[in-house]
C-alpha cells in the first residue's frame, strides 16, 4: 500500500511539472493592459539625498530648485530636471510628481518619466500603461519615454499592450516595444518572439532586434533556431551577428564550440560579435583562448572588443597582450582601451608598466592623461606618482593641459591624500588652475585650504569668477548678512 501511495505521489508530481512546463511554453498574446492603481512616489533614499545635497554650492540651492519646480516656466523646469537626473538627486520627488499631474507640456512629462525611470520609482506606471494602450495621438518621444520607463520599473501589467504594439501595422513602435519585452517579459513572451521570428514579412532590421532580445531574455527555447541563423551564410550579416551575441547571452555551454567555429569567418563584424558571445563563458578554456586571440586580430574592432572583454572577465593572463597593444598598436583607440584594461586587471606587471609610463619623458602627455584617469578610477596603484606629476606640471606652464586634466580627475575623488595638492592648485596664479583647486576642495572640504581661499577672495586682483565660487563655497554672503 505504501509503495502504491509513493508511486501515485510521483505520478502526480510528474503530471504537475508537465502542466507547468506546458504552461511556460504557451505564447503570450497581445491585448489591452489593465491600468495599475495610481500611487505616490516612494520614500526618498536618504543616502542618495545626502550625496546630492553635498553638490549644492550654497544653502539656498535647495530652496531655489524647489521654487523652480513649483513656479518655473517649462524650459526652467526641464533644465532643472535634467540637472537632477545628472546628479541622481531624489530630493524633489513629491514636487516633481505633482507638477507631472497638472502639466500639459509634453517635454516636461517626458523629462519627469526619465527622472522616475532613473530612480526606478513606479509612481507613474498608471500613466505609462494608459499611454501604451493607445499611443497613436501622442508624440513619439513621449511614447518612447513610456517604453523606457516601464522597462526600468518592470511593469508587467504593460505586457499585453506592448505585444499589441509589436503586432501593430505602425512599425514606429516595433523596436521600442521589443526592447521593453526584453526587460519585462518571461517565458511566454519569449515564445511569442520565437513564433514571430518565423514571419516572412519581417525586415532585416526587425529580425536583428528580435535576435538581440531573444538572447537578452535568456530564451533557451529559441536556441536551436538562433544556432541555425548564426550558421546560415546566406542570412543577413547583421542578423547573424546578433544571433552570435544571443547565443552567448543564453549562457548555454553548447554554444561555445559553435561560436569558436564562427570566429574563423572572414567578416570582422561577425568576429566582433562572436567575442561578445564568448564573453558570457568565464572559466571555459576554449572561450578564453579565443578571446585572447581576438586581441591579436587584424581588424581593430575585433581587437577592441576582445580588450574590453578581458577586462570584464578579469583575464589577468591577457596582461602581456595588452601591454604590447598599448605600446605598439597603430590605432589610438586601441592603445587607450588597452591602458584602461591594464589598470582594471590590477596585476603587478600591468601596474608597474603604467606607473613607469608616467615618469617616462618620452611618453606624451596625452597618454599620461589617460593613464592618470584610469589609475585614479581603479584606485589600486600610482597615487603617489600622479601627485608628483601634478606638482611637476604646476611648475611648468608649458604643461597646463596635463595639469588641468590631472586636476579634473583628482576633483572626482574624496581622498585625504589630496590635501596638499589642493592647496598647491589654489596657490597658482592661473585662474583655471585655482578653479580646479576649488573643485578638489568642493569634493573634500579640506580645512587647510580655507585660509588661502579667504585670502584669494579678499585679493582685489583675483579673478572674479574664482572669487564668486569661493563666496558660495564658504557661504561668505551669509556670514556678512549675519553681521
Amino acid at each position: 500500500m505504501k509503495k502504491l501511495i509513493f508511486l501515485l505521489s510521483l505520478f502526480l508530481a510528474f503530471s504537475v511539472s508537465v502542466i507547468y512546463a506546458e504552461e511556460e511554453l504557451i505564447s503570450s498574446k497581445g491585448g489591452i493592459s489593465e491600468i495599475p492603481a495610481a500611487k505616490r512616489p516612494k520614500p526618498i533614499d536618504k543616502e542618495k539625498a545626502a550625496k546630492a545635497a553635498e553638490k549644492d554650492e550654497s544653502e539656498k540651492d535647495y530652496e531655489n530648485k524647489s521654487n523652480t519646480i513649483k513656479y518655473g516656466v517649462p524650459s526652467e523646469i526641464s533644465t532643472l530636471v535634467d540637472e537632477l537626473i545628472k546628479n541622481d538627486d531624489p530630493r524633489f520627488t513629491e514636487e516633481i510628481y505633482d507638477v507631472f499631474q497638472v502639466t500639459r507640456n509634453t517635454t516636461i512629462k517626458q523629462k519627469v518619466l526619465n527622472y522616475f525611470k532613473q530612480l526606478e520609482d513606479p509612481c507613474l506606471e498608471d500613466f505609462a500603461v494608459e499611454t501604451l494602450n493607445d499611443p497613436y495621438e501622442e508624440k513619439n518621444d513621449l511614447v518612447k519615454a513610456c517604453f523606457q520607463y516601464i522597462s526600468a520599473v518592470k511593469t508587467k501589467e504593460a505586457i499585453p499592450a506592448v505585444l499589441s504594439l509589436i503586432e501593430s501595422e505602425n512599425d514606429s513602435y516595433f523596436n521600442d516595444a521589443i526592447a521593453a519585452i526584453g526587460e519585462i517579459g518571461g517565458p511566454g513572451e519569449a515564445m511569442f518572439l520565437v513564433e514571430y521570428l518565423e514571419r516572412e514579412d519581417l525586415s532585416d532590421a526587425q529580425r536583428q532586434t528580435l535576435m538581440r532580445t531573444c538572447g537578452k531574455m535568456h530564451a533557451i527555447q529559441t536556441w536551436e533556431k538562433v544556432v541555425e541563423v548564426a550558421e546560415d551564410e546566406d542570412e543577413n550579416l547583421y542578423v547573424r551577428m546578433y544571433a552570435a551575441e544571443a547565443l552567448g547571452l543564453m549562457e548555454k555551454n553548447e554554444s561555445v564550440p559553435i561560436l569558436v567555429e564562427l570566429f574563423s569567418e572572414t567578416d570582422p563584424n561577425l568576429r566582433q560579435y562572436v567575442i561578445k558571445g564568448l564573453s558570457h563563458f568565464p572559466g571555459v578554456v576554449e572561450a578564453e583562448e579565443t578571446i585572447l586571440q581576438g586581441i591579436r586580430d587584424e581588424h581593430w574592432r575585433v581587437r577592441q572588443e576582445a580588450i574590453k572583454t578581458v577586462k570584464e572577465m578579469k583575464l589577468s593572463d591577457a596582461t602581456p597582450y595588452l601591454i604590447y597593444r598599448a605600446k605598439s598598436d597603430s590605432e589610438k583607440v586601441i592603445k587607450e582601451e588597452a591602458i584602461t584594461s591594464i589598470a582594471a586587471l590590477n596585476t603587478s606587471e600591468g601596474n608597474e608598466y603604467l606607473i613607469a609610463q608616467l615618469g617616462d619623458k618620452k611618453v606624451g602627455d596625452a597618454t599620461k592623461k589617460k593613464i592618470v584617469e584610469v589609475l585614479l578610477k581603479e584606485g589600486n596603484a600610482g597615487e603617489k606618482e600622479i601627485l608628483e606629476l601634478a606638482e611637476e606640471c604646476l611648475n611648468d606652464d608649458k604643461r597646463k593641459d596635463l595639469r588641468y586634466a590631472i586636476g579634473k580627475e583628482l576633483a572626482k575623488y574624496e581622498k585625504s591624500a589630496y590635501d596638499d595638492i589642493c592647496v598647491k592648485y589654489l596657490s597658482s596664479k592661473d585662474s583655471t588652475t585655482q578653479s580646479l583647486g576649488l573643485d578638489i576642495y568642493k569634493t573634500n572640504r579640506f580645512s587647510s585650504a580655507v585660509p588661502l581661499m579667504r585670502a584669494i577672495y579678499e585679493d582685489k586682483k583675483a579673478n572674479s569668477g574664482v572669487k564668486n565660487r569661493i563666496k558660495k563655497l564658504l557661504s561668505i554672503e551669509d556670514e556678512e548678512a549675519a553681521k
Side-chain angles (χ1 to χ4, degrees):
M1 185 66 178
K2 288 182 178 179
K3 185 176 180 180
L4 179 62
I5 293 172
F6 174 71
L7 291 173
L8 181 60
S9 65
L10 282 179
F11 173 77
L12 290 172
F14 175 75
S15 300
V16 170
S17 66
V18 168
I19 291 170
Y20 284 151
E22 289 177 351
E23 287 179 352
E24 288 182 355
L25 294 176
I26 295 174
S27 173
S28 297
K29 305 296 180 185
I32 301 296
S33 288
E34 183 177 346
I35 299 172
K39 58 182 79 71
R40 299 289 300 181
K42 297 188 297 186
I44 293 173
D45 184 320
K46 293 181 180 178
E47 185 177 342
K48 278 188 177 182
K51 287 183 179 179
E54 290 174 2
K55 297 177 183 178
D56 290 344
E57 293 204 350
S58 75
E59 293 180 0
K60 289 188 176 181
D61 276 9
Y62 180 89
E63 181 183 352
N64 291 339
K65 290 172 183 176
S66 181
N67 286 337
T68 297
I69 296 168
K70 293 175 182 174
Y71 312 117
V73 299
S75 59
E76 293 169 339
I77 296 172
S78 178
T79 300
L80 176 58
V81 173
D82 284 339
E83 179 186 337
L84 298 177
I85 292 172
K86 179 181 177 181
N87 293 334
D88 199 14
D89 189 341
R91 293 176 292 169
F92 304 93
T93 54
E94 294 290 337
E95 295 98 319
I96 291 175
Y97 177 86
D98 289 337
V99 166
F100 185 90
Q101 301 305 318
V102 298
T103 187
R104 295 186 179 182
N105 185 284
T106 303
T107 301
I108 290 181
K109 285 185 176 292
Q110 177 191 339
K111 294 288 180 72
V112 173
L113 280 163
N114 290 337
Y115 176 72
F116 284 112
K117 174 191 75 175
Q118 178 168 303
L119 296 177
E120 297 183 1
D121 190 323
C123 63
L124 299 179
E125 283 182 316
D126 54 329
F127 173 84
V129 173
E130 184 174 5
T131 300
L132 294 177
N133 270 335
D134 185 15
Y136 302 103
E137 299 299 322
E138 302 290 351
K139 291 186 177 180
N140 286 339
D141 286 346
L142 181 62
V143 177
K144 188 179 188 72
C146 287
F147 278 121
Q148 293 173 346
Y149 175 79
I150 62 157
S151 298
V153 301
K154 310 299 182 190
T155 308
K156 293 191 176 295
E157 292 92 334
I159 287 174
V162 175
L163 294 179
S164 291
L165 292 174
I166 292 173
E167 297 177 305
S168 168
E169 294 181 1
N170 189 332
D171 290 344
S172 60
Y173 303 125
F174 184 87
N175 286 342
D176 289 324
I178 290 288
I181 283 299
E183 295 294 335
I184 64 177
E189 289 69 55
M191 284 307 301
F192 172 92
L193 297 182
V194 173
E195 293 175 6
Y196 207 81
L197 197 61
E198 299 293 336
R199 289 178 52 151
E200 296 182 357
D201 60 339
L202 292 176
S203 67
D204 286 340
Q206 288 173 325
R207 288 170 61 77
Q208 293 165 25
T209 304
L210 282 166
M211 277 296 170
R212 300 194 82 169
T213 305
C214 284
K216 191 172 186 178
M217 295 177 74
H218 299 260
I220 302 300
Q221 302 94 328
T222 70
W223 187 80
E224 291 183 0
K225 177 63 179 176
V226 175
V227 170
E228 179 184 326
V229 172
E231 294 180 330
D232 184 357
E233 295 182 1
D234 295 325
E235 178 62 86
N236 172 269
L237 171 64
Y238 289 94
V239 176
R240 292 186 73 198
M241 287 160 50
Y242 296 136
E245 182 181 26
L247 289 175
L249 287 164
M250 292 177 192
E251 299 180 349
K252 188 176 171 71
N253 283 340
E254 289 88 336
S255 298
V256 173
I258 295 166
L259 290 170
V260 170
E261 183 64 28
L262 288 173
F263 192 71
S264 302
E265 294 269 349
T266 57
D267 192 282
N269 294 298
L270 181 55
R271 295 200 303 276
Q272 177 189 0
Y273 274 75
V274 166
I275 295 293
K276 285 179 181 286
L278 290 172
S279 70
H280 297 278
F281 299 96
V284 178
V285 174
E286 197 176 4
E288 293 183 349
E289 287 178 348
T290 304
I291 291 165
L292 289 177
Q293 291 308 307
I295 302 176
R296 306 169 63 186
D297 195 272
E298 285 288 351
H299 199 279
W300 70 271
R301 287 192 184 277
V302 183
R303 298 200 299 277
Q304 183 181 39
E305 194 64 47
I307 290 169
K308 287 180 179 179
T309 299
V310 297
K311 176 183 68 175
E312 294 164 2
M313 297 177 73
K314 303 188 186 305
L315 295 182
S316 58
D317 289 348
T319 300
Y321 295 82
L322 298 174
I323 291 174
Y324 185 86
R325 295 265 64 87
K327 287 180 179 178
S328 309
D329 205 281
S330 59
E331 300 287 343
K332 178 185 176 183
V333 66
I334 299 300
K335 288 184 175 183
E336 292 192 345
E337 202 69 63
I339 288 170
T340 300
S341 291
I342 291 169
L345 289 177
N346 189 30
T347 64
S348 57
E349 180 185 7
N351 290 339
E352 286 170 9
Y353 167 75
L354 294 179
I355 290 170
Q357 297 297 289
L358 291 177
D360 190 337
K361 303 296 183 185
K362 296 179 182 179
V363 175
D365 282 354
T367 299
K368 290 181 179 179
K369 287 179 188 178
K370 185 64 181 179
I371 292 173
V372 168
E373 174 195 333
V374 297
L375 284 177
L376 289 178
K377 180 181 178 182
E378 298 299 334
N380 297 316
E383 182 180 274
K384 173 177 169 289
E385 290 78 9
I386 290 169
L387 294 176
E388 288 174 353
L389 181 60
E391 189 165 351
E392 185 181 316
C393 293
L394 283 166
N395 297 321
D396 186 354
D397 283 346
K398 293 180 181 178
R399 304 181 77 186
K400 281 184 178 179
D401 284 348
L402 181 55
R403 179 202 304 174
Y404 297 159
I406 296 174
K408 288 177 182 177
E409 294 302 321
L410 292 173
K412 295 177 181 179
Y413 306 101
E414 188 175 346
K415 286 283 189 74
S416 59
Y418 299 169
D419 190 336
D420 187 52
I421 201 68
C422 175
V423 171
K424 287 178 178 177
Y425 265 78
L426 289 169
S427 299
S428 173
K429 299 300 181 184
D430 176 60
S431 59
T432 302
T433 305
Q434 286 182 328
S435 187
L436 288 166
L438 294 177
D439 290 339
I440 299 170
Y441 168 80
K442 183 179 177 182
T443 304
N444 291 275
R445 303 287 174 173
F446 295 124
S447 59
S448 60
V450 174
L452 180 54
M453 290 167 64
R454 288 189 177 275
I456 295 170
Y457 179 73
E458 292 169 3
D459 184 355
K460 294 180 180 179
K461 296 180 181 180
N463 179 274
S464 59
V466 172
K467 291 173 72 171
N468 285 335
R469 287 198 66 197
I470 292 173
K471 184 178 181 180
K472 289 182 178 180
L473 286 168
L474 300 182
S475 300
I476 291 174
E477 182 180 13
D478 293 340
E479 291 179 4
E480 291 174 348
K483 292 177 182 178

